[in-house]
Amino acid sequence: MIDAPPVIAIDGPSASGKGAISRRVADVLGFHLLDSGALYRIAGLMASREGLDLENGADVAKLLSELDILFESDGGAETIIRVNGVDVTTDVRRESTGELASRVAAQPEVRSALIGFQRSFRKAPGLVADGRDMGAVIFPDAQAKLFLTASPEERARRRHKQLKEKGISVNLAALSAEIAERDYRDRTRSVSPLRPAPDAEELDTTPLNIEQVVSRVLAFVEKKMPGLII
Ligand code: DC
């Protein structure tokens, strides 16, 4: 039997830095990257544009089956997201879209509809999968599973900084409340709630900068897959 390409699962709550860390780790290893949150964001965004009831999982899942989703590199650090040929990158990244995503992500039909698509990203030489349930549900046989956390205050601060850099001004207290609400919904939903896989390594990133987190993640990957990093 040919071994399936290796997967590094990086899960954790919103604004824990997973996105930036996953991209850096994928770049260092030359691995593919799956931003699974973007898929739930696309589902929420398109369902809302179509005027669907976001709590109607069957309707949202049907809509998903009609979408042609494409992730393309812009040649630099960004990924362009196209849905049925249209660039939706900016809309997908909005805070308001995160909220729509969290609502559709609680629907079992929507989660099932995305399983096969997410697994199709597992290709040689390997994959870094960023999300909430990468290690627990989508890639239970992942060779390395990490669960990144940070205090709610630190996560609000990071998201605030990230949005400010994009020229989007938001109130820190409001952002903090929004993050807490999204966490609560993600943790308490009945299907695939946000929690570490039993065999995941938890890493509290509160006192660490991106470079420090990336080196800890790479050290853990090297421990799990000796010789992968040259
Ligand atoms: O990581 P993100 O902010 O782009 O995720 C947006 C929402 O999607 C988040 O509130 C929870 C949901 N999500 C999920 O349920 N499962 C995943 N694997 C990824 C994201």
Side-chain angles (χ1 to χ4, degrees), residues 11-15 18-19 35-41 92-93 95 97-106 111 118 130-134 138 159 182-183 185-186 189 191-192 194:
D11 291 303
S14 3
K18 284 174 296 127
D35 171 5
S36 63
L39 300 178
Y40 291 96
R41 286 169 176 266
V92 163
R93 297 279 163 234
E95 275 304 289
T97 306
E99 165 70 20
L100 302 174
S102 174
R103 287 171 61 194
V104 294
R111 303 200 74 83
Q118 292 177 90
D130 157 8
R132 304 291 190 287
D133 60 346
M134 298 296 99
I138 305 298
R159 183 56 59 86
R182 193 125 70 87
D183 273 3
R185 194 183 298 123
D186 293 346
R189 65 179 176 226
V191 52
S192 291
L194 171 67

